[in-house]
Amino acid sequence: MLHDLFSPDVQHALDLVGIFVFAISGALLAVRKNFDVFGIAVLAEVTALGGGLFRDLIIGAVPPAAFTDLGYFLMPLVAAVLVFFLHPEVERTQTAVNVFDAAGLGLFCVTGTTKAYDYGLGLTSSAALGLATAVGGGVLRDVLANEVPSLLRWDRDLYAVPAIVGAAMVVLCIRFDALNGFTSAAAVLTAFALRLLAMRYHWRAPRAWNRRSSAREEPEKATAQ
């Protein structure tokens, strides 16, 4: 099904663009954490390829595309070298990086869902793996950098929700036999637009209902114990 939506060349080019942008975000976090050149390269690779690797291993698409296509492996290294030498300039273009990151999020949630369905998963499982494809690399990045994943932090703009919406649109189109190039593009653009709006207006997910803030007390209790 995936090859019916995009030609192989177009699909490959889009994948490389998404991988490059995700790798930039991983490399920038490594610089902020004062990692050495190896750490920058590792974080770039993990951020760019982590979600796709997880998806491919789950659905049995082995060896994963990251190990069969040299471009997938080299593109994060290119991003790492760029950030290593030009990170002040890259930081100044952070807005542009965020826009491309949002585009990669929209693309990967759609292609990830479609690929999972191609390999025989049900609609719900396919949507879940589409989400994992889009956000998995970022989660691994934050874990390796010893941070609470942005995906789980209430003080960060919505990230997973746009991917969930995009993946849900894909499975609904599959369910009603309406998935084609136009509807796939609509799902990508919807996720992309939601992410941009979340960044522009700082949309965030709600916390627990009637929550009483005790975040400052909990670490003290843990220390005392």
Side-chain angles (χ1 to χ4, degrees), residues 13-28:
L14 291 174
D15 281 347
L16 290 179
V17 170
I19 285 171
F20 180 78
V21 175
F22 282 171
I24 288 285
S25 70
L28 283 174

mmCIF file with all atom_site columns, all heavy atoms in Angstrom, residues 13-28:
data_model
loop_
_atom_site.group_PDB
_atom_site.id
_atom_site.type_symbol
_atom_site.label_atom_id
_atom_site.label_alt_id
_atom_site.label_comp_id
_atom_site.label_asym_id
_atom_site.label_entity_id
_atom_site.label_seq_id
_atom_site.pdbx_PDB_ins_code
_atom_site.Cartn_x
_atom_site.Cartn_y
_atom_site.Cartn_z
_atom_site.occupancy
_atom_site.B_iso_or_equiv
_atom_site.pdbx_formal_charge
_atom_site.auth_seq_id
_atom_site.auth_comp_id
_atom_site.auth_asym_id
_atom_site.auth_atom_id
_atom_site.pdbx_PDB_model_num
ATOM 1   N N   . ALA A 1 13 ? 13.297 10.169 -0.571 1.00 0.00 ? 13 ALA A N   1
ATOM 2   C CA  . ALA A 1 13 ? 13.683 11.558 -0.349 1.00 0.00 ? 13 ALA A CA  1
ATOM 3   C C   . ALA A 1 13 ? 12.998 12.136 0.887  1.00 0.00 ? 13 ALA A C   1
ATOM 4   O O   . ALA A 1 13 ? 13.635 12.819 1.712  1.00 0.00 ? 13 ALA A O   1
ATOM 5   C CB  . ALA A 1 13 ? 13.346 12.399 -1.586 1.00 0.00 ? 13 ALA A CB  1
ATOM 6   N N   . LEU A 1 14 ? 11.720 11.853 1.046  1.00 0.00 ? 14 LEU A N   1
ATOM 7   C CA  . LEU A 1 14 ? 10.992 12.346 2.216  1.00 0.00 ? 14 LEU A CA  1
ATOM 8   C C   . LEU A 1 14 ? 11.544 11.740 3.499  1.00 0.00 ? 14 LEU A C   1
ATOM 9   O O   . LEU A 1 14 ? 11.680 12.431 4.517  1.00 0.00 ? 14 LEU A O   1
ATOM 10  C CB  . LEU A 1 14 ? 9.499  12.016 2.071  1.00 0.00 ? 14 LEU A CB  1
ATOM 11  C CG  . LEU A 1 14 ? 8.739  12.768 0.978  1.00 0.00 ? 14 LEU A CG  1
ATOM 12  C CD1 . LEU A 1 14 ? 7.318  12.237 0.854  1.00 0.00 ? 14 LEU A CD1 1
ATOM 13  C CD2 . LEU A 1 14 ? 8.724  14.271 1.245  1.00 0.00 ? 14 LEU A CD2 1
ATOM 14  N N   . ASP A 1 15 ? 11.861 10.454 3.466  1.00 0.00 ? 15 ASP A N   1
ATOM 15  C CA  . ASP A 1 15 ? 12.444 9.806  4.638  1.00 0.00 ? 15 ASP A CA  1
ATOM 16  C C   . ASP A 1 15 ? 13.764 10.467 5.026  1.00 0.00 ? 15 ASP A C   1
ATOM 17  O O   . ASP A 1 15 ? 14.027 10.719 6.210  1.00 0.00 ? 15 ASP A O   1
ATOM 18  C CB  . ASP A 1 15 ? 12.681 8.317  4.363  1.00 0.00 ? 15 ASP A CB  1
ATOM 19  C CG  . ASP A 1 15 ? 11.412 7.490  4.482  1.00 0.00 ? 15 ASP A CG  1
ATOM 20  O OD1 . ASP A 1 15 ? 10.422 8.019  5.012  1.00 0.00 ? 15 ASP A OD1 1
ATOM 21  O OD2 . ASP A 1 15 ? 11.416 6.332  4.039  1.00 0.00 ? 15 ASP A OD2 1
ATOM 22  N N   . LEU A 1 16 ? 14.600 10.743 4.036  1.00 0.00 ? 16 LEU A N   1
ATOM 23  C CA  . LEU A 1 16 ? 15.908 11.342 4.318  1.00 0.00 ? 16 LEU A CA  1
ATOM 24  C C   . LEU A 1 16 ? 15.767 12.745 4.907  1.00 0.00 ? 16 LEU A C   1
ATOM 25  O O   . LEU A 1 16 ? 16.509 13.118 5.819  1.00 0.00 ? 16 LEU A O   1
ATOM 26  C CB  . LEU A 1 16 ? 16.755 11.383 3.050  1.00 0.00 ? 16 LEU A CB  1
ATOM 27  C CG  . LEU A 1 16 ? 17.264 10.032 2.531  1.00 0.00 ? 16 LEU A CG  1
ATOM 28  C CD1 . LEU A 1 16 ? 18.067 10.232 1.249  1.00 0.00 ? 16 LEU A CD1 1
ATOM 29  C CD2 . LEU A 1 16 ? 18.107 9.323  3.574  1.00 0.00 ? 16 LEU A CD2 1
ATOM 30  N N   . VAL A 1 17 ? 14.800 13.511 4.394  1.00 0.00 ? 17 VAL A N   1
ATOM 31  C CA  . VAL A 1 17 ? 14.570 14.849 4.942  1.00 0.00 ? 17 VAL A CA  1
ATOM 32  C C   . VAL A 1 17 ? 14.124 14.754 6.397  1.00 0.00 ? 17 VAL A C   1
ATOM 33  O O   . VAL A 1 17 ? 14.645 15.465 7.279  1.00 0.00 ? 17 VAL A O   1
ATOM 34  C CB  . VAL A 1 17 ? 13.526 15.613 4.101  1.00 0.00 ? 17 VAL A CB  1
ATOM 35  C CG1 . VAL A 1 17 ? 13.118 16.903 4.809  1.00 0.00 ? 17 VAL A CG1 1
ATOM 36  C CG2 . VAL A 1 17 ? 14.076 15.929 2.725  1.00 0.00 ? 17 VAL A CG2 1
ATOM 37  N N   . GLY A 1 18 ? 13.166 13.868 6.681  1.00 0.00 ? 18 GLY A N   1
ATOM 38  C CA  . GLY A 1 18 ? 12.706 13.695 8.055  1.00 0.00 ? 18 GLY A CA  1
ATOM 39  C C   . GLY A 1 18 ? 13.814 13.223 8.971  1.00 0.00 ? 18 GLY A C   1
ATOM 40  O O   . GLY A 1 18 ? 13.971 13.715 10.099 1.00 0.00 ? 18 GLY A O   1
ATOM 41  N N   . ILE A 1 19 ? 14.617 12.271 8.497  1.00 0.00 ? 19 ILE A N   1
ATOM 42  C CA  . ILE A 1 19 ? 15.733 11.755 9.292  1.00 0.00 ? 19 ILE A CA  1
ATOM 43  C C   . ILE A 1 19 ? 16.735 12.866 9.594  1.00 0.00 ? 19 ILE A C   1
ATOM 44  O O   . ILE A 1 19 ? 17.220 12.999 10.723 1.00 0.00 ? 19 ILE A O   1
ATOM 45  C CB  . ILE A 1 19 ? 16.413 10.585 8.539  1.00 0.00 ? 19 ILE A CB  1
ATOM 46  C CG1 . ILE A 1 19 ? 15.529 9.336  8.625  1.00 0.00 ? 19 ILE A CG1 1
ATOM 47  C CG2 . ILE A 1 19 ? 17.799 10.306 9.094  1.00 0.00 ? 19 ILE A CG2 1
ATOM 48  C CD1 . ILE A 1 19 ? 15.986 8.200  7.741  1.00 0.00 ? 19 ILE A CD1 1
ATOM 49  N N   . PHE A 1 20 ? 17.031 13.680 8.600  1.00 0.00 ? 20 PHE A N   1
ATOM 50  C CA  . PHE A 1 20 ? 18.001 14.765 8.788  1.00 0.00 ? 20 PHE A CA  1
ATOM 51  C C   . PHE A 1 20 ? 17.534 15.753 9.848  1.00 0.00 ? 20 PHE A C   1
ATOM 52  O O   . PHE A 1 20 ? 18.298 16.147 10.738 1.00 0.00 ? 20 PHE A O   1
ATOM 53  C CB  . PHE A 1 20 ? 18.236 15.484 7.461  1.00 0.00 ? 20 PHE A CB  1
ATOM 54  C CG  . PHE A 1 20 ? 19.210 16.618 7.540  1.00 0.00 ? 20 PHE A CG  1
ATOM 55  C CD1 . PHE A 1 20 ? 20.579 16.374 7.581  1.00 0.00 ? 20 PHE A CD1 1
ATOM 56  C CD2 . PHE A 1 20 ? 18.774 17.935 7.579  1.00 0.00 ? 20 PHE A CD2 1
ATOM 57  C CE1 . PHE A 1 20 ? 21.492 17.420 7.658  1.00 0.00 ? 20 PHE A CE1 1
ATOM 58  C CE2 . PHE A 1 20 ? 19.669 18.978 7.653  1.00 0.00 ? 20 PHE A CE2 1
ATOM 59  C CZ  . PHE A 1 20 ? 21.034 18.725 7.695  1.00 0.00 ? 20 PHE A CZ  1
ATOM 60  N N   . VAL A 1 21 ? 16.270 16.142 9.774  1.00 0.00 ? 21 VAL A N   1
ATOM 61  C CA  . VAL A 1 21 ? 15.757 17.136 10.721 1.00 0.00 ? 21 VAL A CA  1
ATOM 62  C C   . VAL A 1 21 ? 15.703 16.571 12.132 1.00 0.00 ? 21 VAL A C   1
ATOM 63  O O   . VAL A 1 21 ? 16.075 17.244 13.107 1.00 0.00 ? 21 VAL A O   1
ATOM 64  C CB  . VAL A 1 21 ? 14.373 17.632 10.275 1.00 0.00 ? 21 VAL A CB  1
ATOM 65  C CG1 . VAL A 1 21 ? 13.786 18.562 11.306 1.00 0.00 ? 21 VAL A CG1 1
ATOM 66  C CG2 . VAL A 1 21 ? 14.473 18.342 8.934  1.00 0.00 ? 21 VAL A CG2 1
ATOM 67  N N   . PHE A 1 22 ? 15.257 15.330 12.277 1.00 0.00 ? 22 PHE A N   1
ATOM 68  C CA  . PHE A 1 22 ? 15.239 14.719 13.597 1.00 0.00 ? 22 PHE A CA  1
ATOM 69  C C   . PHE A 1 22 ? 16.661 14.600 14.149 1.00 0.00 ? 22 PHE A C   1
ATOM 70  O O   . PHE A 1 22 ? 16.893 14.790 15.345 1.00 0.00 ? 22 PHE A O   1
ATOM 71  C CB  . PHE A 1 22 ? 14.593 13.336 13.533 1.00 0.00 ? 22 PHE A CB  1
ATOM 72  C CG  . PHE A 1 22 ? 13.085 13.374 13.462 1.00 0.00 ? 22 PHE A CG  1
ATOM 73  C CD1 . PHE A 1 22 ? 12.364 12.219 13.209 1.00 0.00 ? 22 PHE A CD1 1
ATOM 74  C CD2 . PHE A 1 22 ? 12.392 14.547 13.654 1.00 0.00 ? 22 PHE A CD2 1
ATOM 75  C CE1 . PHE A 1 22 ? 10.978 12.244 13.152 1.00 0.00 ? 22 PHE A CE1 1
ATOM 76  C CE2 . PHE A 1 22 ? 11.009 14.589 13.595 1.00 0.00 ? 22 PHE A CE2 1
ATOM 77  C CZ  . PHE A 1 22 ? 10.293 13.428 13.351 1.00 0.00 ? 22 PHE A CZ  1
ATOM 78  N N   . ALA A 1 23 ? 17.616 14.275 13.273 1.00 0.00 ? 23 ALA A N   1
ATOM 79  C CA  . ALA A 1 23 ? 19.004 14.166 13.712 1.00 0.00 ? 23 ALA A CA  1
ATOM 80  C C   . ALA A 1 23 ? 19.541 15.508 14.193 1.00 0.00 ? 23 ALA A C   1
ATOM 81  O O   . ALA A 1 23 ? 20.309 15.569 15.166 1.00 0.00 ? 23 ALA A O   1
ATOM 82  C CB  . ALA A 1 23 ? 19.874 13.639 12.572 1.00 0.00 ? 23 ALA A CB  1
ATOM 83  N N   . ILE A 1 24 ? 19.143 16.595 13.542 1.00 0.00 ? 24 ILE A N   1
ATOM 84  C CA  . ILE A 1 24 ? 19.549 17.931 13.975 1.00 0.00 ? 24 ILE A CA  1
ATOM 85  C C   . ILE A 1 24 ? 19.103 18.183 15.413 1.00 0.00 ? 24 ILE A C   1
ATOM 86  O O   . ILE A 1 24 ? 19.874 18.680 16.247 1.00 0.00 ? 24 ILE A O   1
ATOM 87  C CB  . ILE A 1 24 ? 18.953 19.009 13.041 1.00 0.00 ? 24 ILE A CB  1
ATOM 88  C CG1 . ILE A 1 24 ? 19.646 18.995 11.677 1.00 0.00 ? 24 ILE A CG1 1
ATOM 89  C CG2 . ILE A 1 24 ? 19.069 20.395 13.680 1.00 0.00 ? 24 ILE A CG2 1
ATOM 90  C CD1 . ILE A 1 24 ? 21.027 19.582 11.647 1.00 0.00 ? 24 ILE A CD1 1
ATOM 91  N N   . SER A 1 25 ? 17.857 17.829 15.729 1.00 0.00 ? 25 SER A N   1
ATOM 92  C CA  . SER A 1 25 ? 17.351 18.068 17.085 1.00 0.00 ? 25 SER A CA  1
ATOM 93  C C   . SER A 1 25 ? 18.128 17.251 18.103 1.00 0.00 ? 25 SER A C   1
ATOM 94  O O   . SER A 1 25 ? 18.412 17.720 19.208 1.00 0.00 ? 25 SER A O   1
ATOM 95  C CB  . SER A 1 25 ? 15.854 17.758 17.160 1.00 0.00 ? 25 SER A CB  1
ATOM 96  O OG  . SER A 1 25 ? 15.607 16.363 17.062 1.00 0.00 ? 25 SER A OG  1
ATOM 97  N N   . GLY A 1 26 ? 18.477 15.996 17.751 1.00 0.00 ? 26 GLY A N   1
ATOM 98  C CA  . GLY A 1 26 ? 19.266 15.185 18.665 1.00 0.00 ? 26 GLY A CA  1
ATOM 99  C C   . GLY A 1 26 ? 20.666 15.742 18.866 1.00 0.00 ? 26 GLY A C   1
ATOM 100 O O   . GLY A 1 26 ? 21.172 15.804 20.001 1.00 0.00 ? 26 GLY A O   1
ATOM 101 N N   . ALA A 1 27 ? 21.302 16.168 17.791 1.00 0.00 ? 27 ALA A N   1
ATOM 102 C CA  . ALA A 1 27 ? 22.657 16.716 17.885 1.00 0.00 ? 27 ALA A CA  1
ATOM 103 C C   . ALA A 1 27 ? 22.671 18.020 18.685 1.00 0.00 ? 27 ALA A C   1
ATOM 104 O O   . ALA A 1 27 ? 23.597 18.274 19.467 1.00 0.00 ? 27 ALA A O   1
ATOM 105 C CB  . ALA A 1 27 ? 23.224 16.941 16.491 1.00 0.00 ? 27 ALA A CB  1
ATOM 106 N N   . LEU A 1 28 ? 21.652 18.852 18.516 1.00 0.00 ? 28 LEU A N   1
ATOM 107 C CA  . LEU A 1 28 ? 21.591 20.109 19.268 1.00 0.00 ? 28 LEU A CA  1
ATOM 108 C C   . LEU A 1 28 ? 21.455 19.852 20.764 1.00 0.00 ? 28 LEU A C   1
ATOM 109 O O   . LEU A 1 28 ? 22.077 20.540 21.578 1.00 0.00 ? 28 LEU A O   1
ATOM 110 C CB  . LEU A 1 28 ? 20.413 20.959 18.778 1.00 0.00 ? 28 LEU A CB  1
ATOM 111 C CG  . LEU A 1 28 ? 20.614 21.690 17.452 1.00 0.00 ? 28 LEU A CG  1
ATOM 112 C CD1 . LEU A 1 28 ? 19.311 22.370 17.020 1.00 0.00 ? 28 LEU A CD1 1
ATOM 113 C CD2 . LEU A 1 28 ? 21.739 22.721 17.557 1.00 0.00 ? 28 LEU A CD2 1
#
